[in-house]
Amino acid sequence: MEKLDARIRNHDREIEKMCNFHHQGFVDAITELLKVRADAEKLMGQVTDTNQRLQEAGREVTAQTEEVIRCRLQQRNMATTVEKLQLCIPALEMYSKLKEQLESKRYYAALKTMEQLENVYIPRVSKYRFCQIMAETLPKLREEIKEISMSDLKDFLESIRKHSDKIGETAMRQAQQHRTFISAMQKQASLGCTKPLYSLNGRTPTQHNGLHREEGAEEEESEEQVLTAQDLVDFSPVYRCLHIYTVLGDRDSFENYYRKQRKKQARLVLQPQSNMHETVEGYRKYFNQIVGFFVVEDHILHATQGLVTRAFTDELWNMALSKIIAVLRTHSSYCSDPDLVLELKNMIVIFADTLQGYGFTVNRLFDLLFEIRDQYNETLLKKWALVFREIFEQDNYSPIPVETEEEYKSVISRFPFHEAEIEKQPFPKKLPMSQSVPQIYTQVKEFIYASLKFSESLHRSSTEIDDMLRKSTNLLLTRTLSGCLQNLIKKPHIGLTELVQIIINTTHLEQACRYLEDFITNITNVSPETIHTTRLYGLATFKDARHAAEGEIYTKLNQKIDEFIQLADYEWGMSESDGRASGYLMDLINFLRSTFQVFTHLPGKVAQTACMSACKHLASSLLQMLLDPDLKQISLGAIQQFNLDVIQCELFASSEPVPGFQGDTLQLAFIDLRQLLDLFMVWDWSTYLADYGQPTSKYLRVNPSTALALLEKMKDTSKKNNIFSQFRKNDRDKQKLIETVVKQLRSLVNGMSQHS
């Protein structure tokens, strides 16, 4: 502690020394400071005064400075606003432009504007609320555009459905004009002309390429404006809708919708009216609608990129073609008017040519025309059957009288008749055929012309057309004309005179067949010597008709003979004959004489056959009269009377009613009757029985059964006036002889039956 205290005392002394050393300086400083205080207070007063003056002077500057700062801030805000507005204004302008485009229905441009808005403008200002609203609105606008464009497309589809008829009519008319022009040019070329006959629609026809016709600026406008599909239908909706859906990335659905709708429309177009076959207009409207449909499709095919493809149009066409062929095949079968069928054929040809010009295959249509040609020929055959029947009904079946040279020339101008003997005869004279012959010949030529009309424009060679004409003419001759002739021959009012004239007529028609051959050759320019050329069957037709007429002559002669035979009124129980032939038989013979005089115009063989047939039938009928089961008894007087009638028949046969018979050929028709009557008249049974079966027998043609039947009728004793009643009185031995003859005849008959 002492040391510590010592230490403290040391330090205190040092402090004191130091303070003493610095004390004076401190005092001086205080003194100086006191002096400065006064100066400081003075300076403070000056500073305060200066500050007040400065504050007063700077107050206005401060206010102006604050104003400058505020203006600078506003200026900066305005610049920022302008900058942001410059970003927003293009977006707003584009949106305004979008609205204008929508109002003006420029939907494709509107979609492009939307695309720019979404990709360029809206992203720049996406933080603003109005841009968000715009972005939310755009998809809705797209859907509206799709709906509107689809509505326009539906209107377009409805429009083309309504205008298909007019479009098709225009296209078919142009195709027909083109065909007419080509035909005229070909005729002109064949005449060696080089100057064109006329121009089609004001210009020479060029390759038909659908609705795309590039017209040069220098090309003169046609006098008559040709309407195209574009003139009749506004195609812009389909283009616009296609572009819209393409932009929207939904092109596939649009294509599918369009094709589906067009397929539906195709089915509607292909559905015909139930009464279409009744008028030409029905067919024309049907074809116009189909052509209009495919003309539009062809235009869409070429005007758009892939909306429809060639494969799609070909598929549509193949479907349509099958339906068209089925429809035409059905409806044409209802047509009974050949003129309507011909009109249908012409329309099918124009229809096919029109669509062929647009690149569609139409071979099946021409194949169908061959089927319709058969139908056309059938209708022609029915029509000409009526014509032939009318000609036959109006014919008087007598040779054509010609009074003057002019009348003669008039006949031979219609029918190729040349016969030197008749040409040498003076006027007036008669031609052997009746009036129906030149009329039939003329009508056959008219039929050939009518058939040729259908064969035109079928794109077939002359040889094929020639073959068609010959085949259809053969059908006319072998079926229609032959059938009419056969029916005519069978008609009950056609007598022997008419039948004779029919035979003469068919002979002349047969001779005229070669002229028909030449007629067809001149039309088709196909030589008849060409391989596979069909020949006309007229010769066979007229020969068959002639044979039928000959057969009918034989039948009618026999019927007439039967009518006379029915008039026979024999008194079978008479005791002796009248001494003269029966009246009915003389009338019959007179009828046969006059009839066979008419047969002088017939070929000799026909007349001879008719005469022989008549005599044989007469002999057979007389024999059947004797053997009639209802006839129970015959007297000898009746036999004698019957013999007188047979003698008249034999005299008629020997008088050569028809020239050309050799010797007694015609009399042989009555040989059976003659031998039978001689046997009973002479009562030569011993000779008959002795010589039976011998070739030299006098009664070779007498059949035992026939003799037995007649003998039974004569020996019947159950009736009054039986001839054997006198025999019983006068000669019982003779009756026994008769019974013996009957027994022998029966044994011969039984032997014959056992032998057979």
Side-chain angles (χ1 to χ4, degrees):
M1 287 297 290
E2 291 176 354
K3 285 183 178 184
L4 181 58
D5 288 338
R7 182 83 176 166
I8 291 170
R9 285 188 299 272
N10 287 333
H11 278 294
D12 286 339
R13 283 190 298 271
E14 287 177 2
I15 290 169
E16 185 178 351
K17 286 179 181 180
M18 186 175 294
C19 287
N20 289 329
F21 177 78
H22 290 292
H23 176 71
Q24 188 63 37
F26 176 72
V27 172
D28 291 340
I30 289 299
T31 302
E32 286 294 329
L33 182 61
L34 290 174
K35 291 179 181 179
V36 170
R37 184 174 66 180
D39 293 335
E41 289 177 356
K42 184 180 179 180
L43 179 62
M44 185 65 182
Q46 292 176 349
V47 169
T48 301
D49 183 54
T50 302
N51 181 49
Q52 289 177 350
R53 290 198 311 270
L54 181 62
Q55 288 296 328
E56 291 175 359
R59 188 173 291 116
E60 185 177 351
V61 174
T62 301
Q64 291 178 353
T65 301
E66 289 176 354
E67 181 68 21
V68 168
I69 291 171
R70 188 176 62 80
C71 289
R72 290 284 176 88
L73 183 59
Q74 288 179 346
Q75 185 179 12
R76 186 177 62 189
N77 290 341
M78 288 172 65
T80 303
T81 302
V82 168
E83 182 183 350
K84 297 303 181 183
L85 284 174
Q86 285 176 341
L87 288 176
C88 293
I89 284 174
L92 293 170
E93 287 177 344
M94 291 299 286
Y95 192 78
S96 176
K97 181 180 177 182
L98 171 63
K99 288 293 186 179
E100 291 176 0
Q101 290 169 339
L102 290 174
E103 289 175 2
S104 61
K105 298 183 179 181
R106 295 163 53 206
Y107 300 117
Y108 179 72
L111 287 173
K112 288 295 184 182
T113 303
M114 286 186 198
E115 189 177 337
Q116 287 182 325
L117 274 171
E118 286 182 327
N119 297 331
V120 179
Y121 295 100
I122 290 180
R124 296 176 183 173
V125 289
S126 58
K127 58 185 178 180
Y128 299 108
R129 187 165 175 266
F130 77 89
C131 288
Q132 295 174 1
I133 296 173
M134 285 169 56
E136 292 171 359
T137 306
L138 292 181
K140 297 178 182 178
L141 292 177
R142 280 198 177 89
E143 289 302 320
E144 287 182 14
I145 290 174
K146 283 179 70 173
E147 292 175 3
I148 293 170
S149 60
M150 184 57 69
S151 175
D152 289 346
L153 176 67
K154 291 177 181 177
D155 293 341
F156 165 77
L157 292 174
E158 180 67 20
S159 173
I160 58 175
R161 190 179 71 81
K162 291 179 180 178
H163 289 88
S164 288
D165 191 1
K166 188 66 176 177
I167 295 171
E169 180 186 353
T170 303
M172 289 182 68
R173 184 169 63 248
Q174 291 173 356
Q176 187 172 14
Q177 290 172 342
H178 184 68
R179 280 186 58 222
T180 305
F181 180 84
I182 295 298
S183 176
M185 291 296 290
Q186 289 174 348
K187 290 180 181 178
Q188 197 175 31
S190 65
L191 295 173
C193 299
T194 57
K195 189 176 180 180
L197 291 175
Y198 64 89
S199 61
L200 180 62
N201 297 323
R203 62 180 72 90
T204 55
T206 57
Q207 178 67 31
H208 191 56
N209 61 348
L211 295 170
H212 287 291
R213 291 185 173 88
E214 296 182 1
E215 301 179 359
E218 301 82 15
E219 187 176 14
E220 295 181 0
E221 293 184 0
S222 60
E223 294 179 4
E224 181 183 354
Q225 185 179 3
V226 178
L227 294 177
T228 65
Q230 288 170 310
D231 298 320
L232 296 169
V233 177
D234 179 15
F235 284 89
S236 60
V238 72
Y239 303 148
R240 186 164 56 245
C241 201
L242 175 63
H243 289 309
I244 287 170
Y245 273 78
T246 303
V247 170
L248 294 175
D250 203 11
R251 179 181 176 122
D252 290 342
S253 66
F254 172 73
E255 290 179 358
N256 292 334
Y257 176 81
Y258 177 84
R259 295 179 186 181
K260 183 179 178 181
Q261 293 302 313
R262 288 299 277 166
K263 279 186 177 179
K264 287 182 180 179
Q265 287 189 339
R267 292 189 181 95
L268 290 175
V269 165
L270 294 170
Q271 193 65 34
Q273 294 181 348
S274 59
N275 62 342
M276 182 178 76
H277 60 277
E278 296 177 358
T279 61
V280 176
E281 287 305 315
Y283 286 109
R284 181 173 287 114
K285 184 175 181 181
Y286 181 67
F287 287 132
N288 286 344
Q289 288 178 341
I290 295 173
V291 170
F293 178 89
F294 283 100
V295 166
V296 169
E297 284 307 289
D298 181 78
H299 179 68
I300 294 293
L301 172 67
H302 289 91
T304 61
Q305 294 293 331
L307 175 57
V308 293
T309 61
R310 174 56 68 181
F312 172 74
T313 54
D314 288 344
E315 178 190 353
L316 261 184
W317 170 243
N318 290 330
M319 180 270 289
L321 191 57
S322 299
K323 178 69 175 176
I324 292 166
I325 289 173
V327 166
L328 292 178
R329 187 178 284 131
T330 301
H331 282 263
S332 65
S333 64
Y334 298 144
C335 291
S336 57
D337 182 6
D339 295 332
L340 181 57
V341 179
L342 186 62
E343 286 283 350
L344 173 60
K345 167 257 173 182
N346 291 332
M347 279 191 287
I348 291 176
V349 170
I350 297 170
F351 174 74
D353 287 348
T354 304
L355 289 173
Q356 192 173 32
Y358 288 95
F360 297 101
T361 56
V362 293
N363 293 335
R364 290 173 62 191
L365 284 174
F366 285 101
D367 294 337
L368 171 68
L369 283 173
F370 274 83
E371 297 179 29
I372 297 179
R373 182 202 65 191
D374 296 335
Q375 171 69 20
Y376 176 70
N377 283 337
E378 287 298 322
T379 58
L380 282 183
L381 292 175
K382 290 178 183 177
K383 179 179 178 180
W384 257 259
L386 297 175
V387 171
F388 289 151
R389 289 194 195 107
E390 185 177 357
I391 290 173
F392 288 140
E393 287 174 3
Q394 294 177 355
D395 195 8
N396 57 9
Y397 298 99
S398 59
I400 301 174
V402 285
E403 302 290 335
T404 62
E405 181 74 21
E406 287 72 19
E407 291 183 13
Y408 180 74
K409 288 181 179 179
S410 173
V411 173
I412 63 174
S413 66
R414 292 181 290 131
F415 181 76
F417 174 77
H418 303 287
E419 195 168 313
E421 293 183 5
I422 292 180
E423 289 179 358
K424 292 176 182 177
Q425 293 176 5
F427 291 100
K429 54 188 174 183
K430 290 185 177 181
L431 304 183
M433 65 277 188
S434 69
Q435 192 63 46
S436 63
V437 172
Q439 292 175 346
I440 292 291
Y441 182 80
T442 302
Q443 286 301 323
V444 172
K445 290 169 69 175
E446 289 295 327
F447 175 87
I448 294 172
Y449 276 127
S451 183
L452 177 65
K453 286 180 182 178
F454 195 94
S455 302
E456 294 172 343
S457 307
L458 290 186
H459 306 302
R460 298 291 171 175
S461 65
S462 299
T463 306
E464 289 175 297
I465 293 175
D466 181 86
D467 187 60
M468 283 187 249
L469 286 181
R470 290 176 184 273
K471 285 181 178 178
S472 57
T473 307
N474 277 332
L475 279 176
L476 178 74
L477 295 176
T478 59
R479 198 171 79 186
T480 306
L481 182 55
S482 176
C484 290
L485 283 170
Q486 296 291 344
N487 292 334
L488 173 69
I489 290 167
K490 297 294 183 183
K491 284 187 175 180
H493 71 275
I494 297 296
L496 293 171
T497 305
E498 288 83 358
L499 288 170
V500 170
Q501 188 62 54
I502 289 171
I503 291 175
I504 296 170
N505 289 350
T506 53
T507 303
H508 287 285
L509 287 171
E510 180 183 337
Q511 294 169 356
C513 280
R514 60 190 180 92
Y515 295 101
L516 289 176
E517 295 259 11
D518 296 340
F519 178 70
I520 295 176
T521 300
N522 292 334
I523 290 177
T524 60
N525 294 322
V526 176
S527 173
E529 286 76 24
T530 306
I531 301 174
H532 306 309
T533 297
T534 306
R535 311 300 298 179
L536 291 184
Y537 303 143
L539 298 178
T541 297
F542 297 122
K543 282 181 181 177
D544 292 344
R546 193 158 55 250
H547 291 157
E550 292 168 4
E552 194 66 19
I553 284 177
Y554 308 150
T555 302
K556 285 191 180 294
L557 265 178
N558 294 344
Q559 290 174 350
K560 204 69 178 176
I561 290 171
D562 291 341
E563 291 175 9
F564 279 102
I565 293 293
Q566 289 174 3
L567 298 175
D569 187 20
Y570 286 104
E571 186 181 343
W572 296 108
M574 64 194 308
S575 58
E576 60 182 16
S577 68
D578 294 339
R580 62 181 184 276
S582 302
Y584 86 91
L585 189 75
M586 297 307 296
D587 292 341
L588 171 58
I589 289 174
N590 291 332
F591 164 76
L592 291 176
R593 287 187 191 280
S594 61
T595 299
F596 290 138
Q597 286 177 357
V598 178
F599 286 8
T600 53
H601 297 296
L602 288 175
K605 189 176 180 181
V606 177
Q608 291 170 14
T609 306
C611 187
M612 177 59 77
S613 171
C615 289
K616 284 183 177 180
H617 185 72
L618 176 57
S620 173
S621 299
L622 290 173
L623 182 59
Q624 290 301 320
M625 192 186 302
L626 286 176
L627 301 178
D628 185 1
D630 295 334
L631 179 60
K632 301 301 182 183
Q633 65 168 359
I634 301 177
S635 67
L636 184 59
I639 292 292
Q640 292 170 348
Q641 181 64 42
F642 200 81
N643 182 57
L644 291 175
D645 292 344
V646 173
I647 290 173
Q648 289 298 323
C649 293
E650 291 172 329
L651 289 173
F652 168 72
S654 63
S655 67
E656 198 175 10
V658 173
F661 286 108
Q662 295 181 354
D664 56 353
T665 304
L666 195 57
Q667 291 173 274
L668 291 177
F670 300 97
I671 190 67
D672 292 5
L673 263 179
R674 171 47 51 211
Q675 291 186 6
L676 178 65
L677 291 174
D678 284 350
L679 175 61
F680 277 85
M681 295 287 293
V682 180
W683 208 255
D684 196 6
W685 292 105
S686 58
T687 304
Y688 174 74
L689 294 172
D691 294 345
Y692 179 74
Q694 300 296 323
T696 58
S697 172
K698 181 179 179 182
Y699 305 104
L700 181 64
R701 307 298 293 269
V702 179
N703 191 297
S705 59
T706 304
L708 177 62
L710 187 57
L711 192 58
E712 290 282 358
K713 294 176 186 291
M714 294 184 68
K715 82 179 229 349
D716 189 355
T717 57
S718 64
K719 304 277 185 182
K720 274 185 172 184
N721 301 325
N722 191 287
I723 189 169
F724 291 111
S725 64
Q726 296 182 12
F727 286 160
R728 283 195 295 273
K729 295 176 183 177
N730 299 331
D731 195 351
R732 295 180 183 276
D733 293 336
K734 193 169 185 178
Q735 182 180 358
K736 291 180 180 178
L737 175 62
I738 296 304
E739 292 174 353
T740 303
V741 170
V742 169
K743 289 179 181 178
Q744 290 178 339
L745 286 174
R746 284 177 177 163
S747 66
L748 286 176
V749 171
N750 292 333
M752 288 174 62
S753 62
Q754 290 175 2
H755 180 70
S756 61

